Amino acid sequence: MPPESGSPAPSAPAVAPQPPAATRPLVDEFRLGLDAPICLTWELTYACNLSCSHCLSSSGRRDPSELSTEECFAVIDELQRLQVFYVNLGGGEPMLRPDFFPIVEYAVGHQVGVKFSTNGTFVDAAAARRLAGMDYLDVQVSLDGATAGVNDAVRGDGAYAAARQAMDHLADAGFGAFKMSVVVTRHNVDQLDDLKAMADSYGAQLRVTRLRPSGRGADTWEQLHPTQAQQRDLYRWLLDRHDVLTGDSFFHLSALGDPLPGLNLCGAGRVVCLIDPVGDVYACPFVIHDEFLAGNVRGPGGFTSVWRDSELFASLREPDSEGACVSCGSYDACQGGCMASKFFVGLELTDPDPECVLGNAEPLLAALAADRDAVAPRPSQDHGRPGVPVPSPVTLRPTRRVRV
């Protein structure tokens, strides 16, 4: 997902003639692509002890072909040479990898900062102390409701208690301002004040992100994504709270008026991308589909070659086509919205965002619903555990000794 902060690497040559870099706005530099990503998301494993109903990667089972520890170290060496600002480590649940701590320690020891997302189940007191003792590390604990009822409806019974326990351990260990990460749904959007107060009580920072119809979210998006009225309320709420992070995931809301803080641009293949557990590189974490597969880090030239030479990424860096949005005066504000959200509901990439706050996608969505032959693309992979319900109950793990 797009970064919250960071310094760009030098820009890659544009596909079409452009003004000199010194005279172009910074956002244009990002739109044309960079020589290296500012940051990237790296799903270390598809293994997960949860089965969240909106999981973007449909995680559950470990892929036996996931990158080895040595291969992960080699990728980090590349990212260091490329001067990547940081990596977002996720999954699945990244702490399920036995080599999780060695990988994190190798990254921060090689000038690659780490943010990692966790459901909190494995953040016991000892793990929290070990995390608190590391530099260049940020932790994001996922929590999708201010109450157990709202959170556990999508993440599984017991998930709320696990996340709260993890945050208690991080606070007790003196970790500092970790992040509390919330996917905004129609069921928790009215709890944002309570979630902000909860984060503040821990000395943490609230981070809210947009729900996409990706992974298992393809089956639950219709029931979970905020209504138009809730989107407008969310926009006003975010405008008044610049200390709440968004990862630039709500730039489609900027069509309502003043732009939200941040890049306000889809950075897929331009400034960000995704590496999955087996080394496949996708344009962003929300388009795990063969159509957006750019290459694999195990191939000749590694990640660097994928980033710089991929035909897919080159196409994403070409000047945008406004498509159906050409007649809308808000295009410069919202940039047409989220590529992944369009793709997985069956819209063209040049169509309006399915959650366009001006309602421009509604006729297209209605036409798709009425077309019996219309079939929206499905995520290419499902790593769910056969026989395990979605969501499934969460078992709090016993305290484990972690060597410090």
Side-chain angles (χ1 to χ4, degrees):
M1 68 185 57
E4 290 149 9
S5 61
S7 300
S11 63
V15 174
Q18 298 290 327
T23 66
R24 292 198 298 267
L26 185 59
V27 70
D28 287 346
E29 292 292 296
F30 291 167
R31 187 180 290 112
L32 297 170
L34 305 179
D35 284 342
I38 293 175
C39 70
L40 57 88
T41 296
W42 186 355
E43 310 288 26
L44 285 181
T45 184
Y46 285 126
C48 193
N49 60 313
L50 274 64
S51 56
C52 300
S53 63
H54 58 358
C55 177
L56 64 90
S57 57
S58 301
S59 287
R61 290 174 289 117
R62 174 184 174 272
D63 191 309
S65 299
E66 67 186 26
L67 298 174
S68 68
T69 306
E70 291 72 24
E71 287 176 312
C72 290
F73 289 170
V75 171
I76 292 167
D77 289 340
E78 274 198 86
L79 301 183
Q80 181 185 23
R81 290 192 294 270
L82 289 170
Q83 297 183 312
V84 171
F85 190 62
Y86 66 88
V87 292
N88 293 299
L89 297 183
E93 171 51 55
M95 294 187 75
L96 276 171
R97 278 193 64 135
D99 56 0
F100 168 75
F101 276 108
I103 289 172
V104 172
E105 289 164 348
Y106 191 87
V108 299
H110 288 74
Q111 294 80 50
V112 178
V114 171
K115 296 185 179 187
F116 86 91
S117 298
T118 176
N119 61 45
T121 311
F122 299 98
V123 182
D124 57 22
R129 289 194 297 272
R130 184 168 183 176
L131 293 169
M134 299 174 67
D135 293 326
Y136 309 113
L137 174 70
D138 196 11
V139 180
Q140 296 181 163
V141 180
S142 296
L143 187 72
D144 292 333
T147 58
V150 171
N151 179 84
D152 293 0
V154 293
R155 301 188 65 83
D157 292 341
Y160 179 86
R164 292 300 301 265
Q165 180 173 276
M167 293 190 290
D168 289 341
H169 287 318
L170 289 169
D172 291 345
F175 181 88
F178 60 88
K179 306 294 188 297
M180 193 173 83
S181 185
V182 177
V183 177
V184 178
T185 71
R186 68 180 57 180
H187 304 298
N188 66 23
V189 69
D190 294 332
Q191 295 187 331
L192 288 176
D193 284 332
D194 292 336
L195 288 162
K196 178 70 166 60
M198 186 189 301
D200 291 344
S201 73
Y202 283 108
Q205 192 167 19
L206 180 63
R207 182 178 187 271
V208 297
T209 58
R210 183 183 176 186
L211 173 73
R212 272 87 162 192
S214 307
R216 280 195 287 268
D219 295 322
T220 58
W221 184 80
E222 285 286 354
Q223 295 77 42
L224 292 179
H225 77 94
T227 65
Q228 284 281 23
Q230 288 175 328
Q231 290 200 83
R232 291 175 181 272
D233 290 342
L234 173 62
Y235 169 73
R236 290 188 288 268
W237 192 87
L238 290 172
L239 276 183
D240 292 338
R241 293 164 180 83
H242 287 191
D243 59 332
V244 173
L245 302 176
T246 66
D248 272 318
S249 61
F250 295 105
F251 59 91
H252 70 297
L253 298 181
S254 294
L256 290 170
D258 294 334
L260 295 172
L263 180 59
N264 278 308
L265 172 74
C266 173
R270 296 162 168 169
V271 296
V272 297
C273 65
L274 166 78
I275 301 175
D276 85 345
V278 301
D280 284 337
V281 182
Y282 294 89
C284 90
F286 302 103
V287 285
I288 301 177
H289 188 279
D290 291 344
E291 190 163 330
F292 298 96
L293 176 60
N296 190 286
V297 301
R298 287 170 165 151
F303 173 78
T304 303
S305 178
V306 176
W307 179 261
R308 293 181 175 173
D309 303 328
S310 160
E311 292 183 6
L312 170 68
F313 287 174
S315 69
L316 292 174
R317 295 163 189 166
E318 292 176 356
D320 293 330
S321 169
E322 297 177 5
C325 296
V326 68
S327 61
C328 178
S330 297
Y331 178 80
D332 287 343
C334 76
Q335 299 294 320
C338 173
M339 175 177 70
S341 295
K342 300 177 195 183
F343 180 76
F344 282 118
V345 300
L347 295 176
E348 299 293 332
L349 299 189
T350 52
D351 285 338
D353 189 291
E355 291 186 288
C356 171
V357 291
L358 303 181
N360 292 331
E362 292 174 7
L364 298 172
L365 294 172
L368 286 173
D371 185 353
R372 295 183 179 180
D373 296 325
V375 178
R378 298 291 303 170
S380 296
Q381 305 173 34
D382 182 359
H383 303 278
R385 291 165 289 168
V388 175
V390 176
S392 60
V394 179
T395 301
L396 282 177
R397 298 302 195 251
T399 298
R400 299 171 292 117
R401 289 187 178 276
V402 177
R403 187 174 299 170
V404 180

